[in-house]
Amino acid sequence: MSLVVLLGLLAVAVLGPWLPLGDPAAVNVGPRLAAPSGEWWTGTDSLGRSVLPRLVEGIRTTFLLAGVAVMGTVALGVALGMLAAYYRGPIAELIIRGADVLFAFPSLLLAILLVAITGPGAPGAVISIVLICSPLMVRVVRAASLSVVGRDFVVAARVGGAGPVRILLVHVLPNVAGTAVVQATYALSVGMLIESGLSFLGLGLQPPNASLGSLVHEGAVYLPIAPWLVLIPGALLALAIMAVNLVGDGLRDALDVRGVEVRR
């Protein structure tokens, strides 16, 4: 069920620009702060804009920014995690201690600090998500890689003259890919939460673009008289994060490395 919900949200995000929902930036297309009805399914905002196309844009933006950040997280975390497992000594210590320093900060506080350095906007939000999610990815991938680098087939490859790059890409990476995929799903949910939190604080995506967090921020002012402006995007965000986490749980069970023979 969670996979169906997630695929449905992704389909809406991808197909949104081609759906006959109207222009999300068009103002005065309806009455201001109209409640959800047959004409305005999710109501209108303070500028008379239909909320529905802005919700679709918000879903697309939140998934896009978090997805791009997760791809960067996977690339950085897997590379550093495997290096920390393969090379013992100063290199591993430098990687692990750097990850520990970032991991020690509360996520949202670190995100605010990073955005203060990079400036508000989508690039700052993506960089923040990458640096927040990478430490845990590094630690998880390193732990999985440590169980592989000491195996006989890795030792044989090293004795046979294989270089570190070939060993890591051919022998180690396929055996930690499942762990990295599962961890990436959790990183996606964290990334969506961080992006929404930054946008809610006005430090993420900037107007007139919309994300689920910025929609909650815009609607918070009118919460007493138009609660749907907060409840609908907030419920969509919670639903998306829950669906991603449940899909991650399913992938963890399906790709449990403890029940899979190590591939050589």
Side-chain angles (χ1 to χ4, degrees):
M1 182 63 183
S2 58
L3 181 59
V4 174
V5 172
L6 181 59
L7 291 177
L9 291 174
L10 289 174
V12 170
V14 173
L15 300 176
W18 293 277
L19 296 176
L21 302 177
D23 184 0
V27 299
N28 295 324
V29 297
R32 298 177 60 187
L33 300 177
S37 62
E39 183 178 3
W40 310 104
W41 291 358
T42 55
T44 62
D45 63 9
S46 61
L47 298 178
R49 296 176 294 190
S50 176
V51 176
L52 184 58
R54 290 180 60 76
L55 285 172
V56 173
E57 181 186 12
I59 294 172
R60 181 171 62 254
T61 302
T62 298
F63 270 112
L64 178 62
L65 294 182
V68 170
V70 167
M71 287 190 290
T73 298
V74 170
L76 180 63
V78 169
L80 292 180
M82 291 192 304
L83 288 174
Y86 186 82
Y87 292 104
R88 309 298 174 87
I91 294 179
E93 283 296 317
L94 180 62
I95 293 173
I96 296 304
R97 296 301 161 243
D100 289 343
V101 170
L102 292 176
F103 193 73
F105 283 89
S107 298
L108 190 56
L109 180 61
L110 179 58
I112 294 173
L113 175 62
L114 293 172
V115 169
I117 297 174
T118 61
V126 171
I127 293 173
S128 299
I129 296 170
V130 171
L131 292 181
I132 289 170
C133 296
S134 291
L136 186 56
M137 179 71 74
V138 169
R139 297 170 75 173
V140 170
V141 171
R142 177 178 178 268
S145 300
L146 284 173
S147 64
V148 178
V149 294
R151 294 297 182 94
D152 292 340
F153 63 89
V154 174
V155 175
R158 188 183 297 117
V159 172
V165 175
R166 177 176 175 80
I167 291 175
L168 291 176
L169 294 180
V170 175
H171 299 286
V172 179
L173 180 58
N175 289 290
V176 301
T179 300
V181 168
V182 172
Q183 187 58 37
T185 60
Y186 297 120
L188 178 61
S189 64
V190 173
M192 294 170 63
L193 189 60
I194 293 172
E195 186 280 325
S196 299
L198 289 174
S199 296
F200 178 79
L201 295 174
L203 301 175
L205 201 68
Q206 300 299 299
N209 299 314
S211 72
L212 292 178
S214 66
L215 291 176
V216 174
H217 170 74
E218 293 174 4
V221 179
Y222 305 98
L223 182 60
I225 58 175
W228 59 87
L229 294 179
V230 173
L231 295 179
I232 296 177
L236 282 175
L237 178 61
L239 182 64
I241 292 176
M242 182 178 65
V244 171
N245 281 330
L246 291 176
V247 169
D249 289 340
L251 285 174
R252 181 194 60 196
D253 296 336
L255 301 176
D256 191 353
V257 294
R258 292 172 298 179
V260 179
E261 183 180 358
V262 176
R263 295 183 295 273
R264 304 189 179 189

